[in-house]
């Protein structure tokens, strides 16, 4: 969750991961190299596809894990497990998908030269 250009500045403010009203807040620019984290309006719409992929992988992992532990996976067990997992991991998935998305388009250039 660091700046894709210098790998030093944080993409998100510290201490806001599980703050319900602030988990989606991002820093405007990197404090180290000045890279803008939202180059254009609507830049992170594509991160929804990354989030979809991550969530799909987690759903399949939960389903496989339940099928290994339980003799018969009931719909109730699956829905409860997925609901708990998605509520707990929502901020992490949101931030991870944005970090992956910005790294697709902004390459590493090394630490800033002082």
């Amino acid at each position: 969750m660091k700046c894709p250009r210098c790998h030093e500045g944080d993409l998100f403010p510290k201490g806001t991961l599980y703050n319900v009203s602030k988990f989606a807040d991002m820093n405007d620019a990197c404090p180290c190299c000045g890279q803008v984290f939202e180059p254009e309006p609507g830049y992170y719409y594509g991160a929804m596809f990354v989030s979809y992929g991550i969530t799909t992988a987690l759903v399949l992992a939960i389903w496989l894990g339940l099928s290994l532990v339980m003799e018969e996976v009931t719909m109730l067990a699956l829905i409860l497990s997925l609901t708990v997992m998605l509520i707990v991991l929502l901020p992490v998935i949101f931030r991870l998908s944005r970090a992956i998305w910005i790294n697709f388009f902004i390459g590493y250039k090394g630490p800033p030269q002082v």
Side-chain angles (χ1 to χ4, degrees), residues 30 37-38 43 71 76 78 84 88 95 109 113:
C30 178
F37 291 145
E38 191 162 354
Y43 179 74
E71 189 173 311
L76 179 63
L78 185 62
V84 168
V88 169
R95 289 183 172 198
K109 294 191 176 157
Q113 303 299 320

Side-chain angles (χ1 to χ4, degrees), residues 62-78 81:
I62 290 289
W63 181 47
L64 180 64
L66 283 176
S67 67
L68 292 174
V69 173
M70 300 173 69
E71 189 173 311
E72 182 178 342
V73 179
T74 63
M75 188 62 73
L76 179 63
L78 185 62
S81 300

Side-chain angles (χ1 to χ4, degrees), residues 36-51:
V36 176
F37 291 145
E38 191 162 354
E40 59 188 44
Y43 179 74
Y44 289 104
Y45 282 130
M48 291 186 302
F49 297 106
V50 176
S51 176

